[in-house]
């Protein structure tokens, strides 16, 4: 099997992102960003997805964390799409429920080449530390668009915002791990269209 890896950079007047993804990794992360909460979430995503992920994300956090978080989502989505290549043999769909103490999150993905995000989450707080909670949606939206995948996120319940978001990122890693796995029963791509 060819290596499913990608290394990308994105440099704008607002951010400078370098990212390397290995889908068939061991859960090894080296995440350094100017948004500490996102650093933590990406570390969890990597561990639970069994990917290898290196990210250096710098940006205009003197304004806020929006541009850095958004651009990491963009580059991670692009890297995932590139690393998947022609998608031959993949399972395509993935689903994961993850509890985090009182919170329960579910993430379902379809690596369909049809980008869409549905997110149902009622976070009790607008901020976790210095992190704007609305940026979770921003990150996931850009990830879904650039990876060209259906991404459905449902936080079924919870009252600790940190726990709820953490459950989402762990479930995202696990759902993508399932969807990207090679299934020896799949001949070509898993679609009646003959392509994804």
């Amino acid at each position: 099997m060819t290596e499913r890896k990608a290394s990308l950079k994105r440099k704008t007047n607002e951010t400078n992102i370098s990212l390397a993804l290995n889908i068939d990794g061991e859960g090894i992360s080296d995440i350094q960003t100017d948004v500490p909460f996102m650093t933590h979430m990406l570390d969890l995503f990597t561990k639970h997805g069994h990917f290898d992920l290196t990210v250096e994300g710098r940006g205009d956090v003197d304004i806020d964390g929006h541009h850095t978080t958004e651009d990491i989502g963009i580059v991670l989505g692009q890297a995932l799409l590139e690393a998947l290549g022609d998608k031959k043999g993949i399972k395509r769909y993935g689903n994961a429920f993850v509890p985090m103490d009182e919170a329960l999150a579910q993430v379902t993905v379809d690596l369909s080449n049809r980008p869409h995000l549905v997110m149902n989450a009622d976070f009790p707080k607008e901020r976790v530390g210095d992190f704007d909670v609305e940026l979770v949606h921003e990150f996931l939206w850009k990830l879904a668009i650039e990876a060209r995948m259906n991404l459905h996120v449902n936080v079924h319940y919870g009252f600790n915002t940190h726990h709820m978001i953490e459950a989402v990122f762990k479930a995202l890693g696990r759902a993508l791990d399932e969807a990207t796995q090679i299934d020896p029963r799949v001949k070509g791509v898993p679609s009646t269209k003959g392509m994804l």
Side-chain angles (χ1 to χ4, degrees), residues 37 121-129 131-136 158-165:
F37 189 77
D122 187 13
F123 297 118
K125 293 186 178 178
E126 294 181 359
R127 296 178 73 81
V128 176
F131 182 78
D132 290 321
V133 169
E134 69 178 8
L135 295 181
V136 174
F159 57 78
N160 182 298
T161 302
H162 186 134
H163 291 169
M164 294 163 77
I165 298 170

Side-chain angles (χ1 to χ4, degrees), residues 40-88:
H40 178 41
M41 292 302 110
L42 290 168
D43 188 48
L44 297 169
F45 163 80
T46 305
K47 186 71 171 179
H48 286 266
H50 303 286
F51 311 120
D52 290 344
L53 181 64
T54 301
V55 179
E56 184 170 353
R58 306 299 174 200
D60 53 0
V61 292
D62 52 315
I63 297 171
D64 65 13
H66 183 106
H67 296 139
T68 305
T69 301
E70 177 182 38
D71 283 11
I72 291 170
I74 289 170
V75 180
L76 180 57
Q78 291 171 343
L80 180 60
L81 185 66
E82 182 179 318
L84 282 170
D86 59 16
K87 300 181 184 176
K88 287 182 178 176

